[in-house]
Amino acid sequence: FGLQPRSILRLQLSTSVAKTSTTAAAVTKQKSTFQKFKWRVIARVAYYLRIPFLVMSVYGFGYQQGIMDYSREPEYMESKL
């Protein structure tokens, strides 16, 4: 009887360690999946924001050019209107 409880304890201990390592692998896989999802979301946001950003940039450049043109020759710019 002295050997049986120890062998049962070893079996239970080894199965609990195996479950822990499996759980750690699942957590690592879940983190990896989350990382992929996070970068996919960031890529989508950048994809959809690039066109409005470019449009607003070109508009801003044109607006500033108009201000510079008006400051150089206000009478000419008013006559064009």
Side-chain angles (χ1 to χ4, degrees):
F1 271 162
L3 294 176
Q4 284 183 341
R6 287 183 183 165
S7 63
I8 292 172
L9 179 63
R10 285 183 190 158
L11 179 64
Q12 289 175 348
L13 181 62
S14 65
T15 58
S16 67
V17 169
K19 287 181 183 178
T20 303
S21 64
T22 304
T23 306
V27 168
T28 304
K29 184 177 180 181
Q30 187 178 21
K31 284 183 181 179
S32 175
T33 304
F34 177 73
Q35 290 291 330
K36 288 179 185 177
F37 177 72
K38 180 179 80 170
W39 286 112
R40 196 171 284 160
V41 167
I42 290 171
R44 279 286 161 195
V45 167
Y47 179 78
Y48 288 120
L49 287 180
R50 69 183 178 162
I51 299 298
F53 176 77
L54 289 172
V55 167
M56 292 303 294
S57 298
V58 170
Y59 172 78
F61 289 141
Y63 187 80
Q64 289 300 320
Q65 186 64 43
I67 289 174
M68 288 191 313
D69 290 345
Y70 182 78
S71 67
R72 287 184 189 137
E73 300 178 46
E75 296 86 17
Y76 176 72
M77 292 302 288
E78 287 178 6
S79 69
K80 284 177 74 174
L81 294 175

